[in-house]
């Protein structure tokens, strides 16, 4: 059975290990590269987990990390303040190991980040995905995300942009 664990700064070794595994297993799915995360040591990993109001979760199967996701705070729209001055919270760093794919782990990770966003008063959740990552796009679409017309960040090739997707959130 898969268990989800919210990680804190004290869990930096777990986060480091799952992040490195994700970057090694699916380099095509992330803008970051594994080599980018070998520098900095404990301080760098703790800093990632110390980002104010961020939320990080790891999926564990028999004590082994088999997935991860993060929720990053937005800066206005969708955070419940109604001032329209920015973006809703973001779903980031979603990854599920090959052994756990097809068993609902990705959906559980997405749902837990959605619940975090709702607790923060968000009315939407945003994400950016690499346009060629069809399995991830299909996962997000199955969970209610739709593509926007918003131009995503420019990728390293200087031509391609991330695909920005959003999901309206509703309290049940």
């Amino acid at each position: 059975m898969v268990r989800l664990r919210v990680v804190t700064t004290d869990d930096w070794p777990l986060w480091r290990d799952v992040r490195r595994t994700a970057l090694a297993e699916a380099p095509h799915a992330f803008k970051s590269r594994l080599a980018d995360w070998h520098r900095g040591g404990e301080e760098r990993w703790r800093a990632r987990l110390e980002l104010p109001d961020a939320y990080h979760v790891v999926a564990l199967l028999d004590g082994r990390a088999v997935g991860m996701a993060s929720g990053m705070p937005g800066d206005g729209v969708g955070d419940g303040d109604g001032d329209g001055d920015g973006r809703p919270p973001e779903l980031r760093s979603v990854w599920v190991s090959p052994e756990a794919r097809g068993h609902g782990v990705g959906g559980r990770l997405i749902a837990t980040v959605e619940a975090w966003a709702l607790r923060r008063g968000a009315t939407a959740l945003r994400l950016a995905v690499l346009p060629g990552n069809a399995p991830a796009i299909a996962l997000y679409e199955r969970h209610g995300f739709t593509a926007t017309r918003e131009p995503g960040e420019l990728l390293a090739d200087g031509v391609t942009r991330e695909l920005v997707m959003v999901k309206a959130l509703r309290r049940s």
Side-chain angles (χ1 to χ4, degrees):
M1 186 167 125
V2 173
R3 183 174 66 87
L4 299 183
R5 176 176 166 184
V6 176
V7 295
T8 67
T9 55
D10 291 336
D11 299 312
W12 71 267
L14 171 62
W15 186 258
R16 176 200 60 205
D17 292 349
V18 70
R19 178 75 171 158
R20 285 181 177 173
T21 300
L23 292 171
E25 189 278 321
H28 62 280
F30 298 99
K31 285 192 315 184
S32 294
R33 297 289 163 241
L34 181 58
D36 299 335
W37 285 95
H38 279 295
R39 289 172 267 112
E42 178 179 346
E43 300 80 28
R44 184 168 186 199
W45 291 103
R46 282 185 177 275
R48 170 69 187 257
L49 296 173
E50 288 174 345
L51 292 171
D53 300 319
Y55 181 80
H56 307 282
V57 62
V58 170
L60 300 164
L61 176 63
D62 299 326
R64 289 183 337 275
V66 295
M68 65 185 291
S70 291
M72 303 303 277
D75 58 4
V77 172
D79 68 1
D81 67 4
D83 63 7
D85 65 353
R87 293 183 178 162
E90 289 190 38
L91 174 65
R92 288 194 192 165
S93 302
V94 177
W95 173 77
V96 177
S97 71
E99 70 186 278
R101 291 178 190 153
H103 297 285
V105 176
R108 288 189 60 200
L109 289 165
I110 291 168
T112 195
V113 174
E114 287 177 11
W116 161 83
L118 281 166
R119 287 191 304 273
R120 296 179 45 81
T123 58
L125 186 61
R126 177 184 186 277
L127 64 84
V129 61
L130 298 181
N133 192 345
I137 293 167
L139 171 69
Y140 299 138
E141 287 175 339
R142 282 194 308 274
H143 290 278
F145 287 86
T146 58
T148 70
R149 292 180 178 227
E150 177 186 343
E153 286 187 26
L154 195 60
L155 300 178
D157 66 7
V159 176
T160 311
R161 292 187 173 272
E162 293 176 310
L163 173 65
V164 176
M165 301 179 83
V166 69
K167 177 180 182 176
L169 300 178
R170 292 175 181 78
R171 298 204 182 280
S172 48

